[in-house]
Amino acid sequence: MHDQTTTHPPTTSPDGGEAGTPPLSLLDLAMVRPGASTADALRESVELARTAQAQGFERVWYAEHHNMPSIASSATAVLVAHVAAHTETIRLGAGGVMLPNHSPLVVAEQFGMLAELHPGRIDLGLGRAPGTDHRTLQALRRDPSASERFPEDVLELQAYLRGDSRIPGVQAYPGTDTDVPLFILGSSAFGAQLAARLGLGYAFASHFAPQMLEHAARLYREHFEPSEALAAPHLIVAANVVVAETEQEAARQWEAVRRARIRMMLGRGRELTEAEVDVLLDSPAGEQVLEMLRCTAVGTPEQVREHLTGFARGVQADELILTVPVPDHAARLRSLELLGEHVIGAGSDARG
């Protein structure tokens, strides 16, 4: 197994049996494959969500990114609405909306409308980063200092969704009284401390920024203050998964993932040759890019299940949210089926 994260002993339940993995969710970046169109990517996102629903995944989240030709989830609320209309039961949401890019009132109206259209199915993860570069931030017409107001903007947004606006005479219609569940997203101590202080769920972006995972998880649990929204901490931890029927096929897919990540991060707007990718894989810049993928489980379903169980135990995760970064869409769908059959099903049996 090409196991990228630290190995931990299997989780055990109070009666001494294996507890299995916690609930699994999916983070879908609506990847636009080479040679495919944005419309293709959006159709594939619907297929992924429907497969995740059938396989027992907890939720599917979409991330806000701008000015990235390989990612089609920039208009996150619109994509959530589209997928929600093509699914029935799975929870859907943002993982997340980059709040400094938006007015809290507008976000409350958008996700309040989603909650009215699809009651009990909508989540809202909130991030402090812009999700883009400085020039694109200017094009979004947002002040770069907006991130400094993130804690206040979260409270303003939460108040709109509760029907208890902090601005006299202003309410979110729709949105008021929907109380859409909020999660703070982060990859540092700041988000962990804020989520703990506000009594909200916390999702750590270890699928691309694993360095502070253990520290942030510990801060969140140690400092969590119960709130109206959440009585106990709920920690969601992200990881990448490359799973196939055989180790050889998983290794082949993992190599494709590594090469695709090098092309995306180091291509600088041009198409790299295979020889150039080979050189970059072994370069300091390539090593830095691949370090971002340290929280990755690669292997057969049984190997991945064992790995995810230990990974979740190591950080006391209440839920894992997975990306399946393989470029081939059919392989992504099959990965979700394998996770449903061998990880979600096994975990439900162990918990039951």
Side-chain angles (χ1 to χ4, degrees):
M1 178 179 182
H2 297 257
D3 189 354
Q4 300 299 302
T5 63
T6 305
T7 301
H8 303 279
T11 297
T12 56
S13 62
D15 63 4
E18 186 175 339
T21 55
L24 299 187
S25 295
L26 176 67
L27 176 63
D28 178 13
L29 299 180
M31 293 190 300
V32 183
R33 295 178 289 103
S37 67
T38 298
D40 292 331
L42 299 177
R43 282 193 293 271
E44 290 168 2
S45 283
V46 170
E47 286 188 85
L48 286 168
R50 291 183 63 83
T51 302
Q53 176 178 268
Q55 296 301 327
F57 281 71
E58 188 80 5
R59 65 187 96 234
V60 182
W61 280 0
Y62 304 95
E64 176 186 344
H65 292 281
H66 299 281
N67 198 29
M68 297 185 70
S70 61
I71 295 179
S73 54
S74 56
T76 313
V78 179
L79 181 54
V80 170
H82 178 66
V83 177
H86 289 81
T87 53
E88 295 78 37
T89 57
I90 194 165
R91 297 192 68 89
L92 299 163
V97 164
M98 301 296 104
L99 194 52
N101 296 344
H102 309 278
S103 152
L105 176 60
V106 171
V107 176
E109 291 170 342
Q110 291 174 344
F111 279 80
M113 179 176 290
L114 288 168
E116 296 286 5
L117 290 169
H118 307 282
R121 294 182 59 201
I122 302 301
D123 303 321
L124 177 51
L126 301 168
R128 184 172 62 128
T132 190
D133 57 84
H134 183 72
R135 183 175 296 178
T136 308
L137 183 62
Q138 291 179 318
L140 288 167
R141 301 295 194 270
R142 301 300 290 171
D143 185 340
S145 66
S147 61
E148 298 173 10
R149 301 192 298 272
F150 182 67
E152 292 76 18
D153 284 350
V154 171
L155 290 172
E156 181 183 337
L157 172 57
Q158 184 180 51
Y160 287 134
L161 294 170
R162 287 181 171 171
D164 186 22
S165 174
R166 296 161 67 93
I167 301 178
V170 179
Q171 296 286 357
Y173 300 113
T176 186
D177 295 325
T178 57
D179 210 9
V180 175
L182 301 183
F183 298 80
I184 301 297
L185 314 183
S187 57
S188 69
F190 178 88
Q193 291 171 323
L194 180 63
R197 177 163 60 85
L198 299 183
L200 298 175
Y202 179 53
F204 191 90
S206 38
H207 63 299
F208 73 89
Q211 291 79 8
M212 294 190 68
L213 171 58
E214 290 80 6
H215 177 62
R218 185 173 64 254
L219 277 178
Y220 174 62
R221 289 201 172 278
E222 288 178 354
H223 296 281
F224 182 84
E225 299 177 17
S227 67
E228 290 182 34
L230 207 57
H234 188 85
L235 175 62
I236 303 177
V237 176
N240 307 291
V241 169
V242 179
V243 58
E245 280 91 347
T246 67
E247 289 187 61
Q248 292 76 15
E249 175 59 19
R252 186 193 68 79
Q253 292 183 16
W254 171 234
E255 181 63 15
V257 169
R258 295 170 76 243
R259 301 181 77 85
R261 189 59 58 97
I262 291 292
R263 291 181 186 280
M264 182 175 71
M265 301 296 292
L266 301 180
R268 296 183 176 87
R270 66 185 183 88
E271 183 61 33
L272 298 175
T273 67
E274 294 299 321
E276 288 173 324
V277 173
D278 288 337
V279 172
L280 287 170
L281 280 167
D282 295 325
S283 70
E287 290 176 4
Q288 186 174 6
V289 167
L290 296 178
E291 168 63 15
M292 298 167 66
L293 296 174
R294 175 155 50 91
C295 289
T296 301
V298 183
T300 65
E302 293 76 17
Q303 291 171 323
V304 166
R305 181 180 68 232
E306 181 179 358
H307 176 83
L308 293 178
T309 299
F311 177 54
R313 179 181 184 271
V315 293
Q316 294 183 275
D318 300 294
E319 182 178 333
L320 296 178
I321 189 163
L322 307 178
T323 72
V324 182
V326 294
D328 182 73
H329 178 59
R332 291 203 300 270
L333 290 173
R334 183 57 183 152
S335 296
L336 297 187
E337 293 172 348
L338 292 172
L339 290 167
E341 294 166 9
H342 299 277
V343 181
I344 295 175
S348 299
D349 293 343
R351 287 190 295 271

Coordinates of all heavy atoms in Angstrom, one line a residue, residues 99-155:
L99 N -16.0 33.1 2.9 CA -16.9 34.2 3.4 C -16.3 35.6 3.1 O -17.1 36.5 2.8 CB -17.2 34.0 4.9 CG -18.3 34.9 5.4 CD1 -19.6 34.8 4.6 CD2 -18.6 34.5 6.9
P100 N -15.0 35.8 3.1 CA -14.5 37.2 2.8 C -14.8 37.6 1.4 O -14.8 38.8 1.1 CB -13.0 37.1 3.0 CG -12.8 36.0 4.0 CD -13.9 35.0 3.7
N101 N -15.2 36.7 0.5 CA -15.6 37.1 -0.9 C -17.0 37.6 -1.0 O -17.4 38.0 -2.1 CB -15.4 35.9 -1.8 CG -14.0 35.4 -1.9 OD1 -13.0 36.2 -1.6 ND2 -13.8 34.2 -2.4
H102 N -17.8 37.5 0.1 CA -19.2 37.7 0.0 C -19.8 38.5 1.1 O -19.3 38.5 2.2 CB -20.0 36.3 0.0 CG -19.4 35.3 -1.0 ND1 -19.8 35.3 -2.4 CD2 -18.5 34.3 -0.9 CE1 -19.1 34.3 -3.0 NE2 -18.4 33.7 -2.1
S103 N -21.0 39.0 0.9 CA -21.7 39.6 2.0 C -22.4 38.5 2.7 O -23.0 37.6 2.2 CB -22.8 40.6 1.4 OG -23.9 40.7 2.2
P104 N -22.4 38.5 4.1 CA -23.1 37.5 4.9 C -24.6 37.5 4.6 O -25.2 36.4 4.6 CB -22.8 38.0 6.3 CG -21.5 38.7 6.3 CD -21.5 39.4 4.9
L105 N -25.2 38.6 4.3 CA -26.6 38.6 3.9 C -26.9 37.8 2.7 O -27.8 37.0 2.6 CB -27.1 40.0 3.8 CG -28.6 40.2 3.3 CD1 -29.5 39.5 4.4 CD2 -28.9 41.6 3.1
V106 N -26.1 38.0 1.6 CA -26.3 37.3 0.4 C -26.1 35.8 0.6 O -26.9 35.0 0.1 CB -25.3 37.8 -0.7 CG1 -25.4 36.9 -2.0 CG2 -25.7 39.2 -1.1
V107 N -25.1 35.4 1.3 CA -24.8 34.0 1.6 C -26.0 33.4 2.4 O -26.5 32.3 2.1 CB -23.5 33.7 2.4 CG1 -23.3 32.3 2.8 CG2 -22.3 34.2 1.6
A108 N -26.5 34.1 3.4 CA -27.7 33.7 4.1 C -28.9 33.5 3.2 O -29.7 32.5 3.3 CB -28.0 34.7 5.2
E109 N -29.1 34.4 2.3 CA -30.2 34.3 1.3 C -30.1 33.1 0.4 O -31.0 32.3 0.2 CB -30.3 35.5 0.5 CG -30.8 36.8 1.3 CD -30.7 38.1 0.5 OE1 -29.9 38.1 -0.5 OE2 -31.3 39.0 0.9
Q110 N -28.9 32.8 -0.1 CA -28.6 31.7 -1.0 C -28.8 30.4 -0.3 O -29.5 29.5 -0.8 CB -27.2 31.8 -1.5 CG -27.0 33.0 -2.5 CD -25.5 33.1 -2.9 OE1 -24.6 32.5 -2.3 NE2 -25.3 33.9 -4.0
F111 N -28.2 30.2 0.9 CA -28.3 28.9 1.6 C -29.6 28.8 2.3 O -30.1 27.7 2.5 CB -27.0 28.7 2.4 CG -25.9 28.2 1.7 CD1 -25.1 29.1 0.9 CD2 -25.6 26.9 1.6 CE1 -24.0 28.7 0.2 CE2 -24.5 26.4 0.8 CZ -23.7 27.3 0.1
G112 N -30.2 29.9 2.7 CA -31.6 29.8 3.2 C -32.5 29.3 2.1 O -33.4 28.5 2.4
M113 N -32.4 29.8 0.9 CA -33.2 29.3 -0.2 C -33.0 27.8 -0.4 O -34.0 27.1 -0.6 CB -33.0 30.1 -1.5 CG -33.8 29.6 -2.6 SD -33.6 30.6 -4.1 CE -34.3 32.1 -3.6
L114 N -31.7 27.4 -0.4 CA -31.5 26.0 -0.5 C -32.1 25.2 0.6 O -32.7 24.1 0.3 CB -30.0 25.7 -0.5 CG -29.2 26.2 -1.8 CD1 -27.7 26.2 -1.5 CD2 -29.5 25.3 -3.0
A115 N -32.1 25.7 1.8 CA -32.7 25.0 2.9 C -34.2 24.9 2.8 O -34.8 23.9 3.2 CB -32.3 25.6 4.2
E116 N -34.8 25.9 2.2 CA -36.3 25.9 2.0 C -36.6 24.9 0.9 O -37.7 24.3 1.0 CB -36.8 27.3 1.7 CG -36.6 28.4 2.8 CD -37.6 28.2 3.9 OE1 -38.4 27.2 3.9 OE2 -37.6 29.0 4.8
L117 N -35.8 24.9 -0.1 CA -36.1 23.9 -1.2 C -35.8 22.5 -0.9 O -36.5 21.6 -1.4 CB -35.2 24.3 -2.4 CG -35.6 25.6 -3.1 CD1 -34.5 26.0 -4.1 CD2 -36.9 25.5 -3.9
H118 N -34.8 22.3 0.0 CA -34.4 20.9 0.4 C -34.2 20.8 1.9 O -33.1 20.7 2.4 CB -33.1 20.6 -0.4 CG -33.1 20.8 -1.9 ND1 -33.7 19.9 -2.7 CD2 -32.7 21.8 -2.6 CE1 -33.7 20.4 -4.0 NE2 -33.0 21.5 -3.9
P119 N -35.3 20.8 2.6 CA -35.2 20.9 4.1 C -34.4 19.7 4.7 O -34.5 18.6 4.2 CB -36.7 20.8 4.5 CG -37.5 21.2 3.3 CD -36.7 20.8 2.1
G120 N -33.6 20.0 5.6 CA -32.8 19.0 6.4 C -31.7 18.4 5.6 O -31.0 17.5 6.0
R121 N -31.3 19.0 4.4 CA -30.2 18.4 3.6 C -29.1 19.4 3.4 O -28.1 19.0 2.7 CB -30.8 18.0 2.3 CG -31.8 16.9 2.3 CD -32.3 16.5 0.9 NE -31.1 16.1 0.1 CZ -31.1 16.1 -1.2 NH1 -32.2 16.5 -1.9 NH2 -30.1 15.7 -1.9
I122 N -29.1 20.6 3.9 CA -28.1 21.6 3.4 C -27.2 22.0 4.6 O -27.6 22.2 5.7 CB -28.8 22.9 2.9 CG1 -29.8 22.6 1.8 CG2 -27.8 24.0 2.5 CD1 -29.1 21.9 0.6
D123 N -25.9 22.0 4.3 CA -24.8 22.4 5.2 C -24.1 23.7 4.6 O -24.2 23.9 3.4 CB -23.7 21.3 5.4 CG -24.3 20.0 5.8 OD1 -25.2 20.0 6.7 OD2 -23.8 19.0 5.3
L124 N -23.4 24.4 5.5 CA -22.7 25.5 5.1 C -21.3 25.6 5.8 O -21.3 26.0 7.0 CB -23.5 26.8 5.3 CG -22.8 28.1 5.0 CD1 -22.3 28.1 3.5 CD2 -23.8 29.3 5.1
G125 N -20.3 25.2 5.1 CA -18.9 25.3 5.6 C -18.4 26.7 5.2 O -18.6 27.1 4.0
L126 N -17.7 27.3 6.1 CA -17.2 28.7 5.9 C -15.7 28.8 6.0 O -15.1 28.3 7.0 CB -17.8 29.6 6.9 CG -19.4 29.7 6.8 CD1 -19.9 30.4 8.1 CD2 -19.8 30.4 5.6
G127 N -15.0 29.3 5.0 CA -13.6 29.5 5.0 C -13.2 31.0 5.1 O -14.0 31.9 4.6
R128 N -12.0 31.2 5.6 CA -11.5 32.6 5.7 C -10.6 33.0 4.6 O -10.4 34.2 4.3 CB -10.7 32.7 7.0 CG -10.2 34.1 7.3 CD -9.6 34.2 8.7 NE -8.5 33.4 8.9 CZ -7.3 33.8 9.4 NH1 -7.2 35.0 9.8 NH2 -6.3 32.9 9.5
A129 N -10.0 32.0 3.9 CA -9.1 32.3 2.7 C -10.0 32.8 1.5 O -11.1 32.4 1.4 CB -8.3 31.1 2.4
P130 N -9.4 33.5 0.6 CA -10.1 33.9 -0.6 C -10.4 32.8 -1.6 O -11.3 32.9 -2.4 CB -9.3 35.0 -1.2 CG -7.9 34.7 -0.8 CD -8.0 34.1 0.6
G131 N -9.6 31.7 -1.6 CA -9.7 30.7 -2.5 C -9.2 31.0 -3.9 O -9.7 30.4 -4.9
T132 N -8.4 32.0 -4.0 CA -7.9 32.4 -5.3 C -6.6 33.3 -5.1 O -6.2 33.5 -4.0 CB -9.0 33.2 -6.0 OG1 -8.6 33.4 -7.4 CG2 -9.3 34.5 -5.4
D133 N -6.2 33.9 -6.2 CA -5.0 34.8 -6.1 C -5.4 36.2 -5.9 O -6.6 36.6 -6.0 CB -4.2 34.7 -7.4 CG -5.0 35.0 -8.6 OD1 -5.2 36.2 -9.0 OD2 -5.6 34.0 -9.2
H134 N -4.4 37.1 -5.6 CA -4.7 38.5 -5.3 C -5.4 39.2 -6.4 O -6.4 40.0 -6.2 CB -3.4 39.2 -4.9 CG -3.6 40.6 -4.5 ND1 -4.2 41.0 -3.3 CD2 -3.4 41.8 -5.1 CE1 -4.3 42.3 -3.2 NE2 -3.8 42.8 -4.3
R135 N -5.0 39.0 -7.7 CA -5.6 39.7 -8.8 C -7.1 39.3 -9.0 O -8.0 40.1 -9.2 CB -4.9 39.4 -10.1 CG -5.4 40.1 -11.3 CD -4.5 39.8 -12.5 NE -3.2 40.4 -12.3 CZ -2.2 40.2 -13.2 NH1 -2.4 39.6 -14.4 NH2 -1.0 40.8 -13.0
T136 N -7.4 38.0 -8.8 CA -8.8 37.6 -8.9 C -9.6 38.1 -7.7 O -10.8 38.4 -7.9 CB -8.9 36.0 -8.9 OG1 -8.0 35.5 -9.9 CG2 -10.3 35.5 -9.1
L137 N -9.0 38.3 -6.5 CA -9.6 38.9 -5.4 C -10.1 40.3 -5.8 O -11.2 40.7 -5.4 CB -8.7 38.9 -4.2 CG -9.3 39.4 -2.9 CD1 -10.5 38.6 -2.4 CD2 -8.2 39.5 -1.8
Q138 N -9.2 41.0 -6.5 CA -9.6 42.4 -6.9 C -10.8 42.3 -7.9 O -11.7 43.1 -7.8 CB -8.4 43.0 -7.6 CG -7.3 43.4 -6.6 CD -6.1 44.0 -7.3 OE1 -5.7 43.6 -8.4 NE2 -5.5 45.1 -6.8
A139 N -10.8 41.3 -8.8 CA -11.9 41.1 -9.7 C -13.2 40.8 -9.0 O -14.3 41.1 -9.5 CB -11.6 40.1 -10.7
L140 N -13.1 40.2 -7.8 CA -14.3 39.9 -7.0 C -14.9 41.1 -6.3 O -15.9 41.0 -5.7 CB -14.0 38.8 -6.0 CG -13.8 37.4 -6.5 CD1 -13.2 36.5 -5.5 CD2 -15.1 36.8 -7.0
R141 N -14.1 42.2 -6.4 CA -14.5 43.5 -5.8 C -14.6 43.4 -4.3 O -15.4 44.1 -3.6 CB -15.9 43.9 -6.3 CG -16.0 44.1 -7.8 CD -15.1 45.3 -8.3 NE -15.4 45.7 -9.6 CZ -14.9 45.2 -10.7 NH1 -14.0 44.3 -10.6 NH2 -15.2 45.6 -11.9
R142 N -13.7 42.6 -3.7 CA -13.6 42.5 -2.3 C -12.3 43.1 -1.7 O -11.3 43.1 -2.4 CB -13.7 41.0 -1.8 CG -14.9 40.3 -2.3 CD -16.2 40.9 -1.7 NE -16.3 40.7 -0.3 CZ -17.2 41.3 0.5 NH1 -18.1 42.2 -0.1 NH2 -17.3 41.1 1.7
D143 N -12.4 43.7 -0.6 CA -11.3 44.3 0.1 C -10.4 43.2 0.7 O -10.9 42.3 1.4 CB -11.8 45.2 1.3 CG -10.7 46.0 2.0 OD1 -9.6 45.6 1.9 OD2 -11.1 46.9 2.6
P144 N -9.1 43.2 0.4 CA -8.2 42.1 1.0 C -8.3 42.0 2.5 O -8.0 41.0 3.0 CB -6.8 42.6 0.5 CG -7.1 43.4 -0.7 CD -8.4 44.1 -0.5
S145 N -8.7 43.1 3.2 CA -8.8 43.1 4.6 C -10.0 42.4 5.1 O -10.3 42.3 6.3 CB -8.7 44.5 5.2 OG -9.8 45.3 4.8
A146 N -10.9 42.0 4.2 CA -12.2 41.4 4.6 C -12.0 40.2 5.5 O -12.9 39.9 6.4 CB -13.0 41.1 3.4
S147 N -10.9 39.5 5.3 CA -10.7 38.2 6.1 C -10.5 38.6 7.6 O -10.8 37.7 8.4 CB -9.5 37.5 5.6 OG -8.3 38.3 5.7
E148 N -10.1 39.8 7.9 CA -10.0 40.2 9.3 C -11.3 40.3 10.0 O -11.4 40.2 11.2 CB -9.2 41.5 9.4 CG -7.8 41.5 8.8 CD -7.2 42.9 8.7 OE1 -7.8 43.8 9.3 OE2 -6.1 43.0 8.1
R149 N -12.4 40.4 9.3 CA -13.7 40.5 9.9 C -14.4 39.1 9.9 O -15.6 39.0 10.2 CB -14.6 41.5 9.1 CG -14.0 42.9 9.0 CD -15.1 43.8 8.5 NE -15.5 43.5 7.1 CZ -14.8 44.0 6.0 NH1 -13.8 44.7 6.2 NH2 -15.2 43.6 4.8
F150 N -13.7 38.0 9.6 CA -14.3 36.7 9.4 C -15.1 36.3 10.7 O -16.3 35.9 10.5 CB -13.2 35.7 9.1 CG -13.7 34.3 8.9 CD1 -14.5 34.0 7.9 CD2 -13.4 33.3 9.8 CE1 -15.0 32.7 7.7 CE2 -13.9 32.0 9.7 CZ -14.7 31.7 8.6
P151 N -14.6 36.4 11.9 CA -15.4 36.0 13.1 C -16.7 36.8 13.2 O -17.8 36.2 13.4 CB -14.5 36.3 14.3 CG -13.1 36.2 13.7 CD -13.2 36.8 12.3
E152 N -16.7 38.1 12.9 CA -17.9 38.9 13.0 C -18.8 38.5 11.9 O -20.1 38.5 12.1 CB -17.5 40.4 13.0 CG -16.8 40.9 14.2 CD -15.3 40.5 14.2 OE1 -14.8 40.1 13.2 OE2 -14.7 40.6 15.3
D153 N -18.3 38.3 10.7 CA -19.1 37.9 9.6 C -19.8 36.6 9.8 O -21.0 36.4 9.4 CB -18.3 37.8 8.3 CG -18.0 39.2 7.7 OD1 -18.5 40.2 8.2 OD2 -17.1 39.3 6.8
V154 N -19.1 35.6 10.4 CA -19.8 34.3 10.8 C -21.0 34.5 11.7 O -22.0 34.0 11.5 CB -18.7 33.4 11.4 CG1 -19.5 32.1 11.9 CG2 -17.7 33.0 10.4
L155 N -20.8 35.4 12.7 CA -21.9 35.6 13.7 C -23.0 36.4 13.0 O -24.2 36.1 13.3 CB -21.3 36.5 14.8 CG -20.4 35.7 15.8 CD1 -19.8 36.7 16.8 CD2 -21.1 34.6 16.5

